Amino acid sequence: STPLYSSAASDVYKRQAWGEIVLRALLEKSGLKEGVNFFEQGKGFNLKNEEGRPLKPDVLIKMPGDGEDQSEVVIVDSKVSLVAYSRYVNTKSSEEKEKHLQQHLLSIRNHITNLSEKRYETAEGLLTVDYVMLFMGIESALITAMDEDPSLQDLAIEKNVVLVSQSMLLPALRSVAYLWRRHSQIENIKTIIEEVDKMYAKAIELGAKDDGEPGPRAGTFYGAYVYDLDGNKLCFFNFT
């Protein structure tokens, strides 16, 4: 595992790109789709802070809603530094390890504060929950930090930041994916019911004579099955 730490933290650009790659892999593994359920770098939202400066959060996860303007989003950031943690893992000297460990803790503290200061919840045109998820792609980096300095969690809560690792984030993402599937099923059923109503109205129209008396088509049987996304029959509409 050591080469992974060294590669992931070799420089700022590579480190950030690596965190984003891991995050994207988790999003796709959970069943969420880019451009539909999640958006990278704020694409399509044109976000700006209170000063009018553009905001580009790593990932916006869209929650199901009744309309575009009523859908909340959850913001996930993956740019926390792992340089100090890489050195901590790869150093044998106990003195050096302690120094790099403290640098790792300080890096996380600074990133929590920086995320809070971005104030994503005030972005124009964005309906977001009042917290940001700080994602750490290396599980042990978060575990070590929390073991060594439990007060990090208190700071994060104070700053409306949630610290998450892969094992913590994936179940949450799968829950969101499930909500989206249920939302799609409900929307499909609504559409089918609307179409059935139209068919019924048309059948009544065709089955009636000009004088309003039932015509030769009256009594004809009409029906339609309603299926979920997995192809299972949910119910049957019938009318004459």
Side-chain angles (χ1 to χ4, degrees):
S1 59
T2 298
L4 175 62
Y5 300 138
S6 299
S7 174
S10 58
D11 56 58
V12 173
Y13 175 77
K14 291 181 180 179
R15 179 183 70 245
Q16 293 178 351
W18 182 83
E20 292 170 5
I21 290 171
V22 174
L23 177 56
R24 182 187 177 90
L26 278 183
L27 289 161
E28 293 177 342
K29 184 177 181 180
S30 71
L32 296 175
K33 297 180 180 180
E34 182 186 7
V36 179
N37 313 126
F38 74 90
F39 304 81
E40 295 180 316
Q41 304 301 319
K43 292 179 181 177
F45 285 82
N46 191 29
L47 301 179
K48 296 180 180 180
N49 62 14
E50 294 172 306
E51 289 76 35
R53 296 178 181 177
L55 293 172
K56 295 183 178 181
D58 292 343
V59 168
L60 287 167
I61 301 174
K62 190 175 180 181
M63 302 296 290
D66 294 331
E68 291 294 325
D69 296 334
Q70 298 180 26
S71 296
E72 287 188 324
V73 298
V74 177
I75 294 175
V76 185
D77 178 276
S78 61
K79 289 188 174 69
V80 64
S81 172
L82 298 175
V83 172
Y85 183 72
S86 172
R87 293 169 180 165
Y88 165 77
V89 169
N90 292 301
T91 300
K92 295 181 179 180
S93 166
S94 58
E95 183 177 333
E96 287 294 307
K97 287 183 78 70
E98 179 61 25
K99 181 182 74 172
H100 296 315
L101 175 59
Q102 293 306 315
Q103 291 174 345
H104 174 53
L105 299 176
L106 179 60
S107 176
I108 295 175
R109 281 185 167 275
N110 289 340
H111 200 69
I112 290 173
T113 301
N114 290 338
L115 272 181
S116 177
E117 290 175 350
K118 288 184 178 181
R119 294 180 57 78
Y120 284 118
E121 70 276 8
T122 66
E124 182 180 349
L126 187 66
L127 180 61
T128 179
V129 295
D130 60 356
Y131 61 85
V132 177
M133 288 188 172
L134 193 165
F135 172 70
M136 299 184 67
I138 297 178
E139 194 92 14
S140 56
L142 178 57
I143 294 174
T144 299
M146 296 303 296
D147 285 345
E148 293 293 330
D149 187 0
S151 67
L152 281 174
Q153 188 71 281
D154 296 330
L155 174 64
I157 293 173
E158 178 188 337
K159 299 294 186 180
N160 292 328
V161 174
V162 178
L163 303 175
V164 294
S165 61
Q166 293 189 47
S167 65
M168 298 164 65
L169 183 59
L170 184 57
L173 295 179
R174 283 179 170 166
S175 296
V176 173
Y178 171 77
L179 291 175
W180 270 110
R181 289 195 299 272
R182 291 289 298 169
H183 178 74
S184 297
Q185 289 176 351
I186 292 171
E187 290 302 310
N188 286 341
I189 291 173
K190 287 180 180 178
T191 300
I192 292 172
I193 291 175
E194 289 175 0
E195 291 302 316
V196 170
D197 285 342
K198 293 178 182 178
M199 290 170 57
Y200 180 77
K202 187 66 175 178
I204 296 299
E205 179 183 346
L206 292 174
K209 292 182 177 180
D210 292 341
D211 59 2
E213 294 294 327
R217 297 187 184 183
T220 302
F221 178 82
Y222 295 88
Y225 282 106
V226 177
Y227 295 82
D228 64 16
L229 294 180
D230 298 320
N232 302 310
K233 291 180 182 178
L234 298 176
C235 58
F236 183 82
F237 291 95
N238 66 77
F239 45 86
T240 59

